[in-house]
Amino acid sequence: MSKTSDMVRKEFKAGDDVRDAGLTTPDDIRRYDDILYGEDTGWQLLDVYRPKEADGKKLPVIVSVHGGAWVYGDKERYQYYCMSLAQHGFAVVNFTYRLAPEFKFPAAIEDTNLVIRWIFENAAQYGLDTEHIFCVGDSAGAHQLALYTAICTNPEYAKKFDFKVPDGFVPTAVALNCGTYRFANDGSLDDRKMALMADYLPYGGTDEEMEMICAVNHITEKFPPVFYMTCTGDFLVNQAPILGEKLMAKKIPHEFHFYGDAKHELGHVFHCNMKMEEAMRCNKEECDFFRKFL
């Protein structure tokens, strides 16, 4: 592991500890924890959260692909955010995936696919509406979700991977939050991101690898509707128009939201902080967007 990845894990954990301090499971949420969706009992675990008032009812699904610079994060860090989504009337699947550098690309995307297969296989037990599966991702999770969605909708791109998505599966719609969507081996990446790429990619970031993980290169007209957002203090703010330009070029229905202003700056992935009013508003607006496709 590079010094950069080690630092990211320590810094992100410290910030998340502060963010989530004192939070508990909402009284109106029923949760099912630590369900194995693959063979690796250390990594491939998921939770399902549902509103108690919907007991016995089949609900549309939101799958959350967590962020963490490709090297950090798990479902525990996203439980409160995901339960807030469930309060809007969805069954939410929150999962831990295999991280770099212990596991290289495309391990996390393979795990995302395993989770989708798990949903189809266990829909009856957990009241999951497989006709309406939405996905959310933030930061590195938004990047990996964009790649997975491209695999679902671009047959030529899908050929580059050994796994197969469930037959005919495409997310009903996706939300991409504070993500990164374009990479290039042209000197534009700073030392920190290059160190992360060296840990994430099997060959350390060759031109071929960088093209393969450049999400906007693989978006076609078949990509599903997209809600995407950024904010005033997002260090990836310049990635949003790159994604927007591609969505417009391919005539993909989309909705862009920008949060904060000159007097009120919001940070990267602010929407995961359940103590912030702006986070609650952002998450409600994403769920409202999803409801348009029910």
Side-chain angles (χ1 to χ4, degrees), residues 201-226:
L201 297 169
Y203 300 102
T206 64
D207 288 347
E208 182 179 1
E209 286 178 321
M210 298 300 271
E211 194 281 332
M212 192 170 180
I213 66 167
C214 185
V216 292
N217 288 358
H218 310 295
I219 291 175
T220 70
E221 293 83 356
K222 301 296 185 180
F223 210 82
V226 179

Side-chain angles (χ1 to χ4, degrees), residues 270-286:
F270 73 92
H271 68 297
C272 293
N273 187 344
M274 294 301 97
K275 299 172 184 176
M276 296 181 63
E277 180 181 344
E278 296 87 353
M280 303 302 283
R281 177 165 64 90
C282 172
N283 298 336
K284 178 183 182 300
E285 289 172 351
E286 291 195 1

Side-chain angles (χ1 to χ4, degrees), residues 179-211:
T180 184
Y181 312 107
R182 184 173 69 188
F183 294 87
N185 248 350
D186 59 2
S188 60
L189 300 182
D190 60 28
D191 291 342
R192 177 169 167 145
K193 183 161 280 189
M194 286 305 299
L196 292 170
M197 290 296 98
D199 279 350
Y200 178 54
L201 297 169
Y203 300 102
T206 64
D207 288 347
E208 182 179 1
E209 286 178 321
M210 298 300 271
E211 194 281 332

Side-chain angles (χ1 to χ4, degrees), residues 25 29-33 47-50 76 79-80 83:
T25 298
I29 291 298
R30 192 175 310 285
R31 56 186 298 168
Y32 305 87
D33 296 339
D47 298 345
V48 178
Y49 313 129
R50 293 175 48 98
E76 279 64 45
Q79 60 180 313
Y80 303 111
M83 286 188 285

Side-chain angles (χ1 to χ4, degrees), residues 19-20 23-26 28-31 33 46-51 61-67 74-96 135-138 271-274 280 283 287:
R19 181 195 70 192
D20 294 342
L23 296 178
T24 58
T25 298
D28 58 350
I29 291 298
R30 192 175 310 285
R31 56 186 298 168
D33 296 339
L46 62 78
D47 298 345
V48 178
Y49 313 129
R50 293 175 48 98
V61 183
I62 296 177
V63 179
S64 171
V65 184
H66 72 74
D74 55 36
K75 63 185 178 65
E76 279 64 45
R77 293 299 175 181
Y78 276 68
Q79 60 180 313
Y80 303 111
Y81 160 65
C82 287
M83 286 188 285
S84 79
L85 298 178
Q87 288 177 309
H88 290 283
F90 293 83
V92 179
V93 178
N94 170 29
F95 70 102
T96 296
C135 298
V136 299
D138 64 278
H271 68 297
C272 293
N273 187 344
M274 294 301 97
M280 303 302 283
N283 298 336
C287 289

Side-chain angles (χ1 to χ4, degrees), residues 81-259:
Y81 160 65
C82 287
M83 286 188 285
S84 79
L85 298 178
Q87 288 177 309
H88 290 283
F90 293 83
V92 179
V93 178
N94 170 29
F95 70 102
T96 296
Y97 56 77
R98 291 172 294 163
L99 296 173
E102 290 87 347
F103 300 93
K104 302 289 189 178
F105 171 85
I109 301 173
E110 292 171 346
D111 288 354
T112 302
N113 192 57
L114 285 175
V115 169
I116 298 298
R117 287 195 176 278
W118 180 92
I119 289 171
F120 279 100
E121 292 167 0
N122 296 273
Q125 181 175 353
Y126 294 96
L128 309 177
D129 177 4
T130 56
E131 295 297 316
H132 298 97
I133 300 177
F134 304 93
C135 298
V136 299
D138 64 278
S139 195
H143 167 247
Q144 297 188 124
L145 173 56
L147 293 182
Y148 180 67
T149 307
I151 292 168
C152 294
T153 53
N154 181 341
E156 288 304 311
Y157 185 55
K159 290 177 183 178
K160 298 178 181 291
F161 297 87
D162 292 334
F163 66 88
K164 303 297 182 184
V165 303
D167 200 24
F169 174 72
V170 176
T172 305
V174 299
L176 304 174
N177 301 313
C178 300
T180 184
Y181 312 107
R182 184 173 69 188
F183 294 87
N185 248 350
D186 59 2
S188 60
L189 300 182
D190 60 28
D191 291 342
R192 177 169 167 145
K193 183 161 280 189
M194 286 305 299
L196 292 170
M197 290 296 98
D199 279 350
Y200 178 54
L201 297 169
Y203 300 102
T206 64
D207 288 347
E208 182 179 1
E209 286 178 321
M210 298 300 271
E211 194 281 332
M212 192 170 180
I213 66 167
C214 185
V216 292
N217 288 358
H218 310 295
I219 291 175
T220 70
E221 293 83 356
K222 301 296 185 180
F223 210 82
V226 179
F227 178 110
Y228 69 110
M229 72 84 169
T230 185
C231 62
T232 49
D234 182 11
F235 62 85
L236 293 174
V237 65
N238 292 330
Q239 288 284 319
I242 294 171
L243 175 63
E245 181 179 0
K246 176 61 72 168
L247 296 176
M248 286 188 283
K250 296 299 181 181
K251 300 180 175 60
I252 297 163
H254 61 279
E255 189 172 299
F256 172 61
H257 287 235
F258 182 80
Y259 295 93

